[in-house]
């Protein structure tokens, strides 16, 4: 899974590139995707994901999640993009 940028892909979805999250824990981030560029990595704990799922918002929509950094929460803003599935 990766951000599309200008490349063509056979299958894509509109999102931020969090390909795997369970219980607020990230286990996969698409290389180069908005989430990756915002600094989200495997193992991070996030909140605010309950309204974010692939295809919910159109490309260009500004969305946010909160990332736990130590004992604090930091809000990260991203724009929805086309993400390649392959």
């Amino acid at each position: 899974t990766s951000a599309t940028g200008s490349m063509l892909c056979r299958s894509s979805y509109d999102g931020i590139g969090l390909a795997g999250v369970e219980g607020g824990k990230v286990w996969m981030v698409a290389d180069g995707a908005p989430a990756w560029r915002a600094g989200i990595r495997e193992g991070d704990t996030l909140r605010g994901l309950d309204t974010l799922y692939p295809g919910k918002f159109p490309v260009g929509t500004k969305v946010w999640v909160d990332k736990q950094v130590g004992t604090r929460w930091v809000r990260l803003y991203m724009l929805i993009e086309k993400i390649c599935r392959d």
Side-chain angles (χ1 to χ4, degrees):
T1 307
S2 63
T4 62
S6 61
M7 81 179 149
L8 299 174
C9 53
R10 289 173 282 172
S11 176
S12 67
Y13 65 93
D14 298 345
I16 59 171
L18 289 177
V21 178
E22 188 173 320
K25 272 281 201 217
V26 177
W27 54 270
M28 184 183 281
V29 182
D31 292 337
W36 185 85
R37 293 193 311 269
I40 298 172
R41 299 294 182 264
E42 287 87 6
D44 285 348
T45 300
L46 304 177
R47 67 180 181 193
L49 295 170
D50 49 331
T51 61
L52 291 179
Y53 50 86
K56 179 176 182 180
F57 298 105
V59 169
T61 302
K62 186 177 183 178
V63 297
W64 61 267
V65 298
D66 290 331
K67 174 181 172 178
Q68 188 171 20
V69 180
T71 59
R72 300 182 64 193
W73 291 92
V74 177
R75 183 152 291 175
L76 304 173
Y77 292 91
M78 297 158 274
L79 295 177
I80 299 290
E81 292 182 5
K82 288 265 184 227
I83 309 294
C84 285
R85 292 185 193 274
D86 45 9

Coordinates of all heavy atoms in Angstrom, one line a residue:
T1 N 0.8 -1.2 0.0 CA 0.0 0.0 0.0 C 0.9 1.2 0.0 O 1.8 1.3 0.8 CB -0.9 0.0 1.2 OG1 -1.6 -1.2 1.3 CG2 -1.9 1.2 1.2
S2 N 0.6 2.2 -0.8 CA 1.4 3.4 -0.9 C 0.5 4.6 -1.4 O -0.5 4.4 -2.0 CB 2.6 3.2 -1.8 OG 2.2 3.0 -3.1
A3 N 1.0 5.8 -1.2 CA 0.3 7.0 -1.8 C 0.4 6.9 -3.3 O 1.5 6.5 -3.8 CB 0.9 8.2 -1.2
T4 N -0.6 7.4 -4.0 CA -0.5 7.3 -5.4 C 0.3 8.4 -6.0 O 1.0 8.2 -7.0 CB -1.9 7.4 -6.0 OG1 -2.5 8.6 -5.7 CG2 -2.8 6.3 -5.6
G5 N 0.3 9.7 -5.5 CA 1.0 10.8 -6.1 C 0.6 10.8 -7.6 O -0.6 10.9 -7.9
S6 N 1.5 10.8 -8.5 CA 1.2 10.8 -9.9 C 1.3 9.4 -10.5 O 1.0 9.3 -11.7 CB 2.2 11.7 -10.6 OG 3.6 11.2 -10.4
M7 N 1.5 8.4 -9.7 CA 1.6 7.1 -10.3 C 0.2 6.5 -10.5 O -0.7 6.8 -9.8 CB 2.5 6.1 -9.5 CG 1.8 5.5 -8.3 SD 3.0 4.4 -7.5 CE 2.4 4.7 -5.8
L8 N 0.1 5.6 -11.5 CA -1.1 4.9 -11.7 C -1.1 3.6 -10.9 O -0.1 2.9 -10.7 CB -1.3 4.6 -13.2 CG -1.3 5.8 -14.1 CD1 -1.3 5.3 -15.6 CD2 -2.5 6.6 -13.8
C9 N -2.3 3.2 -10.5 CA -2.4 1.9 -9.8 C -3.7 1.2 -10.2 O -4.7 1.9 -10.6 CB -2.3 2.1 -8.3 SG -3.4 3.2 -7.5
R10 N -3.7 -0.1 -10.1 CA -4.9 -0.8 -10.5 C -6.1 -0.6 -9.6 O -7.2 -0.7 -10.0 CB -4.6 -2.3 -10.6 CG -3.7 -2.6 -11.8 CD -3.2 -4.0 -11.8 NE -2.1 -4.0 -10.7 CZ -1.6 -5.1 -10.3 NH1 -1.9 -6.3 -10.7 NH2 -0.6 -5.0 -9.4
S11 N -5.8 -0.5 -8.3 CA -6.9 -0.4 -7.3 C -6.5 0.7 -6.2 O -5.3 0.7 -5.8 CB -7.1 -1.7 -6.6 OG -8.1 -1.6 -5.6
S12 N -7.4 1.6 -5.9 CA -7.1 2.6 -4.9 C -8.3 2.9 -4.1 O -9.4 2.5 -4.4 CB -6.6 3.9 -5.6 OG -7.6 4.5 -6.3
Y13 N -8.0 3.7 -3.0 CA -9.1 4.1 -2.1 C -8.8 5.5 -1.7 O -7.6 5.9 -1.7 CB -9.3 3.2 -0.9 CG -8.2 3.1 0.0 CD1 -8.1 4.0 1.2 CD2 -7.1 2.2 -0.1 CE1 -7.0 3.9 2.0 CE2 -6.0 2.2 0.7 CZ -6.0 3.0 1.8 OH -5.0 3.0 2.7
D14 N -9.8 6.3 -1.2 CA -9.5 7.6 -0.7 C -9.3 7.5 0.8 O -10.2 7.0 1.5 CB -10.7 8.5 -1.0 CG -11.0 8.7 -2.5 OD1 -10.1 8.4 -3.3 OD2 -12.1 9.2 -2.8
G15 N -8.2 8.0 1.3 CA -7.9 7.9 2.7 C -6.6 8.6 3.1 O -6.1 9.4 2.3
I16 N -6.1 8.2 4.3 CA -4.8 8.8 4.8 C -3.7 7.8 4.8 O -2.6 8.1 5.1 CB -5.0 9.5 6.1 CG1 -5.5 8.5 7.2 CG2 -5.9 10.7 6.0 CD1 -5.5 9.1 8.6
G17 N -4.0 6.6 4.5 CA -3.0 5.6 4.4 C -2.7 4.7 5.6 O -1.6 4.2 5.7
L18 N -3.6 4.7 6.5 CA -3.5 3.8 7.7 C -4.1 2.5 7.2 O -5.3 2.3 7.3 CB -4.2 4.3 8.9 CG -3.6 5.6 9.5 CD1 -4.5 6.1 10.7 CD2 -2.2 5.3 10.0
A19 N -3.2 1.6 6.8 CA -3.7 0.3 6.2 C -4.0 -0.7 7.3 O -4.7 -1.7 7.1 CB -2.6 -0.3 5.3
G20 N -3.6 -0.4 8.6 CA -3.9 -1.3 9.6 C -3.9 -0.7 11.0 O -2.9 -0.1 11.4
V21 N -5.0 -0.7 11.7 CA -5.2 -0.1 13.0 C -6.1 -1.0 13.8 O -7.1 -1.4 13.3 CB -5.7 1.3 13.0 CG1 -5.9 1.8 14.4 CG2 -4.9 2.3 12.2
E22 N -5.7 -1.4 15.0 CA -6.5 -2.2 15.8 C -6.5 -1.7 17.3 O -5.4 -1.6 17.8 CB -6.1 -3.7 15.8 CG -7.0 -4.6 16.5 CD -6.6 -6.1 16.3 OE1 -6.2 -6.4 15.2 OE2 -6.7 -6.8 17.2
G23 N -7.6 -1.3 17.8 CA -7.6 -0.8 19.2 C -6.8 0.4 19.4 O -6.3 0.7 20.5
G24 N -6.8 1.3 18.3 CA -6.0 2.5 18.4 C -4.5 2.4 18.1 O -3.8 3.4 18.0
K25 N -4.0 1.1 18.0 CA -2.6 0.9 17.7 C -2.4 0.7 16.2 O -3.1 -0.1 15.6 CB -2.1 -0.4 18.4 CG -1.6 -0.2 19.8 CD -0.2 0.4 19.8 CE 0.4 0.1 21.1 NZ 1.3 1.1 21.6
V26 N -1.5 1.4 15.7 CA -1.2 1.3 14.2 C -0.2 0.2 14.0 O 0.8 0.0 14.7 CB -0.5 2.6 13.8 CG1 -0.1 2.5 12.3 CG2 -1.4 3.8 14.0
W27 N -0.6 -0.7 13.0 CA 0.3 -1.8 12.7 C 0.8 -1.7 11.2 O 1.6 -2.5 10.8 CB -0.2 -3.1 13.0 CG -1.5 -3.5 12.5 CD1 -2.7 -3.3 13.2 CD2 -1.9 -4.2 11.3 NE1 -3.8 -3.8 12.4 CE2 -3.3 -4.3 11.3 CE3 -1.1 -4.7 10.3 CZ2 -3.9 -4.9 10.2 CZ3 -1.7 -5.3 9.2 CH2 -3.1 -5.4 9.2
M28 N 0.2 -0.8 10.4 CA 0.7 -0.6 9.0 C 0.3 0.8 8.5 O -0.8 1.2 8.7 CB 0.1 -1.6 8.1 CG 0.6 -1.5 6.7 SD -0.1 -2.7 5.6 CE 0.7 -4.2 6.0
V29 N 1.3 1.5 8.0 CA 1.1 2.8 7.4 C 1.7 2.7 5.9 O 2.8 2.3 5.7 CB 1.9 3.9 8.2 CG1 1.7 5.3 7.6 CG2 1.6 3.9 9.6
A30 N 0.9 3.2 5.0 CA 1.3 3.2 3.6 C 2.4 4.2 3.4 O 2.4 5.4 3.8 CB 0.1 3.6 2.7
D31 N 3.5 3.7 2.8 CA 4.7 4.5 2.5 C 4.3 5.8 1.7 O 3.6 5.7 0.7 CB 5.7 3.8 1.7 CG 6.4 2.6 2.5 OD1 6.4 2.7 3.7 OD2 6.9 1.7 1.8
G32 N 4.7 7.0 2.2 CA 4.5 8.2 1.5 C 3.1 8.8 1.6 O 2.8 9.8 1.1
A33 N 2.2 8.1 2.3 CA 0.8 8.5 2.4 C 0.7 9.7 3.4 O 1.7 10.0 4.1 CB -0.1 7.4 2.9
P34 N -0.5 10.4 3.4 CA -0.6 11.5 4.3 C -0.3 11.2 5.8 O 0.4 11.9 6.5 CB -2.1 11.9 4.2 CG -2.4 11.5 2.8 CD -1.6 10.2 2.6
A35 N -0.7 10.0 6.3 CA -0.4 9.6 7.7 C 1.1 9.4 7.9 O 1.7 9.9 8.9 CB -1.1 8.3 8.0
W36 N 1.8 8.9 6.9 CA 3.2 8.7 7.0 C 3.9 10.0 7.0 O 4.8 10.3 7.8 CB 3.7 7.8 5.8 CG 5.2 7.5 5.9 CD1 5.7 6.4 6.5 CD2 6.2 8.2 5.2 NE1 7.1 6.4 6.3 CE2 7.4 7.5 5.5 CE3 6.3 9.3 4.4 CZ2 8.6 7.9 5.1 CZ3 7.5 9.7 3.9 CH2 8.7 9.0 4.3
R37 N 3.5 10.9 6.1 CA 4.1 12.3 6.1 C 3.9 13.1 7.3 O 4.7 13.9 7.7 CB 3.7 13.0 4.8 CG 4.1 12.4 3.5 CD 3.9 13.3 2.3 NE 2.6 13.9 2.2 CZ 1.6 13.3 1.5 NH1 1.8 12.1 0.9 NH2 0.4 13.9 1.5
A38 N 2.7 12.8 8.0 CA 2.4 13.5 9.3 C 3.2 12.9 10.4 O 3.2 13.5 11.5 CB 0.9 13.4 9.6
G39 N 3.9 11.8 10.2 CA 4.8 11.3 11.3 C 4.2 10.1 12.0 O 4.7 9.6 13.0
I40 N 3.1 9.5 11.5 CA 2.5 8.3 12.1 C 3.3 7.1 11.6 O 3.5 6.9 10.4 CB 1.0 8.2 11.7 CG1 0.2 9.4 12.3 CG2 0.4 6.9 12.2 CD1 -1.2 9.5 11.8
R41 N 3.6 6.2 12.6 CA 4.4 5.0 12.3 C 3.8 3.8 13.0 O 3.0 4.0 13.9 CB 5.9 5.2 12.8 CG 6.6 6.4 12.1 CD 6.9 6.1 10.6 NE 7.6 7.2 10.0 CZ 7.1 8.2 9.4 NH1 5.8 8.3 9.3 NH2 7.9 9.1 8.8
E42 N 4.2 2.6 12.5 CA 3.8 1.4 13.2 C 4.1 1.5 14.7 O 5.2 1.9 15.1 CB 4.5 0.2 12.6 CG 4.0 -0.2 11.2 CD 4.7 0.6 10.1 OE1 5.7 1.3 10.3 OE2 4.3 0.5 8.9
G43 N 3.1 1.0 15.5 CA 3.3 1.0 16.9 C 2.7 2.3 17.6 O 2.6 2.3 18.8
D44 N 2.4 3.3 16.9 CA 1.9 4.5 17.4 C 0.4 4.2 18.0 O -0.3 3.4 17.4 CB 1.8 5.7 16.4 CG 3.1 6.3 16.1 OD1 4.1 6.0 16.9 OD2 3.2 7.1 15.2
T45 N 0.1 5.0 19.0 CA -1.3 4.9 19.5 C -2.0 6.2 19.1 O -1.5 7.3 19.2 CB -1.3 4.9 21.1 OG1 -0.6 3.7 21.5 CG2 -2.7 4.8 21.6
L46 N -3.2 6.0 18.5 CA -4.0 7.1 17.9 C -5.4 7.1 18.5 O -5.9 6.1 18.9 CB -4.1 7.0 16.4 CG -2.9 6.9 15.6 CD1 -3.2 6.7 14.1 CD2 -2.0 8.1 15.8
R47 N -6.0 8.3 18.5 CA -7.5 8.3 18.8 C -8.1 9.3 17.8 O -7.4 10.1 17.2 CB -7.7 8.8 20.2 CG -7.3 10.2 20.5 CD -7.6 10.6 22.0 NE -7.2 11.9 22.2 CZ -7.0 12.5 23.4 NH1 -7.3 11.8 24.5 NH2 -6.7 13.8 23.5
G48 N -9.4 9.2 17.7 CA -10.1 10.0 16.7 C -10.3 9.3 15.4 O -10.6 9.9 14.4
L49 N -10.0 8.0 15.4 CA -10.1 7.2 14.1 C -11.5 6.7 13.8 O -11.8 6.2 12.8 CB -9.2 6.0 14.2 CG -7.7 6.4 14.2 CD1 -6.9 5.1 14.5 CD2 -7.3 7.0 12.9
D50 N -12.4 6.8 14.8 CA -13.8 6.2 14.7 C -14.5 6.8 13.5 O -15.4 6.1 13.0 CB -14.6 6.4 16.0 CG -14.6 7.8 16.5 OD1 -13.6 8.5 16.3 OD2 -15.5 8.1 17.2
T51 N -14.2 8.0 13.0 CA -15.0 8.5 11.9 C -14.2 8.4 10.6 O -14.6 8.8 9.5 CB -15.3 10.0 12.1 OG1 -14.2 10.7 12.3 CG2 -16.2 10.1 13.3
L52 N -12.9 7.9 10.7 CA -12.1 7.8 9.5 C -12.1 6.4 9.0 O -11.6 5.5 9.6 CB -10.7 8.2 9.8 CG -10.4 9.7 10.1 CD1 -9.0 9.9 10.4 CD2 -10.9 10.6 8.9
Y53 N -12.6 6.2 7.8 CA -12.5 4.9 7.2 C -12.4 5.1 5.7 O -12.8 6.1 5.2 CB -13.6 3.9 7.5 CG -15.0 4.5 7.4 CD1 -15.7 4.4 6.2 CD2 -15.6 5.1 8.5 CE1 -16.9 4.9 6.1 CE2 -16.9 5.6 8.4 CZ -17.5 5.5 7.1 OH -18.8 6.1 7.0
P54 N -11.8 4.2 4.9 CA -11.5 4.4 3.5 C -12.8 4.7 2.7 O -13.8 4.1 2.9 CB -11.0 3.0 3.0 CG -10.3 2.5 4.2 CD -11.2 2.9 5.4
G55 N -12.7 5.8 1.9 CA -13.8 6.2 1.1 C -14.9 7.1 1.7 O -15.8 7.5 1.0
K56 N -14.7 7.4 3.0 CA -15.8 8.2 3.6 C -15.7 9.6 3.2 O -16.7 10.3 3.0 CB -15.6 8.1 5.2 CG -16.7 9.0 5.8 CD -16.7 8.9 7.3 CE -17.8 9.8 7.9 NZ -17.9 9.8 9.3
F57 N -14.5 10.2 3.0 CA -14.3 11.6 2.7 C -13.7 11.7 1.3 O -12.9 10.9 0.9 CB -13.4 12.3 3.7 CG -14.0 12.3 5.1 CD1 -13.5 11.5 6.0 CD2 -15.1 13.2 5.4 CE1 -14.0 11.6 7.3 CE2 -15.6 13.2 6.7 CZ -15.0 12.4 7.6
P58 N -14.1 12.7 0.5 CA -13.5 12.9 -0.8 C -12.0 13.4 -0.7 O -11.6 14.0 0.3 CB -14.4 13.9 -1.5 CG -15.0 14.7 -0.4 CD -15.1 13.7 0.7
V59 N -11.3 13.2 -1.8 CA -9.9 13.6 -1.9 C -9.9 15.1 -1.6 O -10.7 15.9 -2.1 CB -9.3 13.3 -3.3 CG1 -8.0 14.0 -3.5 CG2 -9.1 11.8 -3.5
G60 N -8.9 15.6 -0.8 CA -8.7 17.0 -0.5 C -9.4 17.4 0.8 O -9.1 18.5 1.3
T61 N -10.2 16.5 1.4 CA -10.8 16.8 2.7 C -9.8 16.9 3.8 O -8.9 16.0 3.9 CB -11.9 15.8 3.1 OG1 -12.9 15.8 2.0 CG2 -12.6 16.1 4.4
K62 N -9.8 17.9 4.7 CA -8.8 18.0 5.8 C -9.4 17.2 7.0 O -10.6 17.4 7.4 CB -8.7 19.4 6.2 CG -7.6 19.7 7.3 CD -7.5 21.2 7.5 CE -6.4 21.5 8.5 NZ -6.3 22.9 8.7
V63 N -8.6 16.2 7.5 CA -9.0 15.4 8.6 C -8.0 15.4 9.7 O -6.9 15.9 9.4 CB -9.3 13.9 8.2 CG1 -10.5 13.9 7.2 CG2 -8.1 13.3 7.6
W64 N -8.2 14.9 10.8 CA -7.2 14.9 11.9 C -7.4 13.6 12.7 O -8.4 13.0 12.8 CB -7.4 16.1 12.8 CG -8.7 16.2 13.5 CD1 -9.8 16.8 13.1 CD2 -9.1 15.5 14.7 NE1 -10.9 16.7 13.9 CE2 -10.5 15.9 14.9 CE3 -8.5 14.7 15.6 CZ2 -11.2 15.4 16.1 CZ3 -9.2 14.3 16.7 CH2 -10.5 14.6 16.9
V65 N -6.3 13.3 13.4 CA -6.2 12.3 14.4 C -5.3 12.8 15.5 O -4.5 13.7 15.3 CB -5.7 10.9 13.9 CG1 -6.6 10.3 12.9 CG2 -4.2 11.0 13.4
D66 N -5.4 12.2 16.7 CA -4.6 12.6 17.8 C -3.6 11.4 18.0 O -4.0 10.2 18.0 CB -5.4 12.7 19.1 CG -6.2 14.0 19.1 OD1 -5.8 15.0 18.4 OD2 -7.2 14.0 19.8
K67 N -2.3 11.8 18.1 CA -1.2 10.8 18.3 C -0.7 10.9 19.7 O -0.4 12.0 20.2 CB -0.1 11.0 17.3 CG 1.1 10.1 17.5 CD 2.2 10.4 16.5 CE 3.5 9.7 16.8 NZ 4.5 10.0 15.8
Q68 N -0.5 9.8 20.5 CA 0.0 9.9 21.8 C 1.5 10.0 21.7 O 2.2 9.2 21.0 CB -0.4 8.6 22.6 CG 0.0 8.7 24.1 CD -0.5 7.6 24.9 OE1 -0.9 6.6 24.4 NE2 -0.6 7.8 26.2
V69 N 2.1 11.0 22.4 CA 3.5 11.2 22.4 C 3.9 11.3 23.9 O 3.6 12.3 24.5 CB 3.9 12.5 21.7 CG1 5.4 12.7 21.8 CG2 3.5 12.5 20.2
G70 N 4.4 10.2 24.5 CA 4.6 10.2 25.9 C 3.3 10.2 26.6 O 2.4 9.4 26.4
T71 N 3.1 11.2 27.5 CA 1.8 11.3 28.2 C 0.9 12.3 27.6 O -0.2 12.6 28.1 CB 2.1 11.7 29.7 OG1 2.8 13.0 29.7 CG2 2.9 10.6 30.4
R72 N 1.3 12.9 26.5 CA 0.5 14.0 25.8 C -0.1 13.5 24.5 O 0.4 12.5 24.0 CB 1.4 15.2 25.5 CG 2.0 15.8 26.8 CD 2.9 17.0 26.5 NE 2.0 18.0 26.0 CZ 2.4 19.1 25.4 NH1 3.7 19.3 25.3 NH2 1.6 20.0 24.9
W73 N -1.1 14.2 24.1 CA -1.7 13.9 22.8 C -1.5 15.1 21.9 O -1.6 16.2 22.2 CB -3.2 13.7 22.9 CG -3.6 12.4 23.7 CD1 -3.7 12.3 25.0 CD2 -3.7 11.1 23.1 NE1 -4.0 11.0 25.3 CE2 -4.0 10.2 24.2 CE3 -3.7 10.6 21.8 CZ2 -4.2 8.9 23.9 CZ3 -3.9 9.3 21.6 CH2 -4.1 8.4 22.6
V74 N -1.0 14.8 20.6 CA -0.7 15.8 19.6 C -1.7 15.6 18.5 O -1.9 14.5 18.0 CB 0.8 15.6 19.1 CG1 1.1 16.6 18.0 CG2 1.7 15.8 20.3
R75 N -2.3 16.7 18.0 CA -3.3 16.6 16.9 C -2.5 16.7 15.6 O -1.7 17.7 15.4 CB -4.3 17.7 17.0 CG -5.3 17.6 15.9 CD -6.7 18.1 16.3 NE -7.2 17.3 17.3 CZ -8.4 17.5 18.0 NH1 -9.0 18.6 17.7 NH2 -8.8 16.7 18.9
L76 N -2.7 15.8 14.7 CA -2.1 15.8 13.3 C -3.2 16.0 12.3 O -4.2 15.3 12.3 CB -1.4 14.5 13.1 CG -0.3 14.1 14.1 CD1 0.2 12.7 13.9 CD2 0.8 15.1 14.1
Y77 N -3.0 17.0 11.4 CA -3.9 17.3 10.3 C -3.4 16.7 9.0 O -2.2 16.8 8.8 CB -4.2 18.8 10.2 CG -4.9 19.3 11.4 CD1 -4.2 19.9 12.5 CD2 -6.3 19.4 11.4 CE1 -4.8 20.4 13.6 CE2 -6.9 19.9 12.5 CZ -6.2 20.4 13.6 OH -6.9 20.9 14.7
M78 N -4.3 16.2 8.2 CA -3.9 15.6 6.9 C -5.0 15.8 5.9 O -6.1 16.1 6.3 CB -3.7 14.1 7.0 CG -2.6 13.7 8.0 SD -2.7 12.0 8.6 CE -3.8 12.3 10.0
L79 N -4.6 15.7 4.6 CA -5.6 15.8 3.6 C -5.8 14.4 3.0 O -4.9 13.6 2.8 CB -5.1 16.7 2.4 CG -5.0 18.2 2.8 CD1 -4.5 19.0 1.6 CD2 -6.3 18.8 3.2
I80 N -7.1 14.1 2.7 CA -7.4 12.8 2.1 C -6.8 12.7 0.7 O -6.9 13.7 0.0 CB -8.9 12.6 2.0 CG1 -9.6 12.6 3.4 CG2 -9.3 11.3 1.2 CD1 -9.3 11.4 4.2
E81 N -6.2 11.6 0.4 CA -5.6 11.4 -1.0 C -6.0 10.0 -1.5 O -6.5 9.2 -0.8 CB -4.1 11.4 -0.9 CG -3.5 12.7 -0.6 CD -2.0 12.7 -0.5 OE1 -1.3 11.7 -0.9 OE2 -1.4 13.7 -0.2
K82 N -5.7 9.8 -2.8 CA -5.9 8.4 -3.4 C -4.7 7.6 -2.9 O -3.6 8.0 -3.0 CB -5.9 8.5 -4.9 CG -7.1 9.1 -5.5 CD -8.1 8.1 -5.8 CE -9.3 8.6 -6.5 NZ -10.5 8.1 -6.0
I83 N -5.0 6.4 -2.4 CA -4.0 5.5 -1.9 C -4.1 4.2 -2.7 O -5.1 3.6 -2.8 CB -4.2 5.2 -0.4 CG1 -4.4 6.4 0.5 CG2 -3.1 4.3 0.1 CD1 -3.2 7.3 0.6
C84 N -2.9 3.8 -3.2 CA -2.9 2.5 -4.0 C -3.0 1.3 -3.0 O -2.4 1.3 -2.0 CB -1.6 2.4 -4.7 SG -1.5 3.4 -6.2
R85 N -3.8 0.3 -3.4 CA -3.9 -0.9 -2.7 C -2.8 -1.9 -3.0 O -2.6 -2.8 -2.3 CB -5.3 -1.6 -2.9 CG -6.4 -0.8 -2.4 CD -7.7 -1.6 -2.6 NE -8.9 -0.8 -2.4 CZ -9.5 -0.6 -1.2 NH1 -8.9 -1.1 -0.1 NH2 -10.5 0.1 -1.1
D86 N -2.2 -1.8 -4.2 CA -1.2 -2.7 -4.6 C 0.2 -2.2 -4.5 O 0.6 -1.2 -4.1 CB -1.4 -3.2 -6.0 CG -1.8 -2.1 -7.0 OD1 -1.6 -0.9 -6.6 OD2 -2.2 -2.4 -8.1

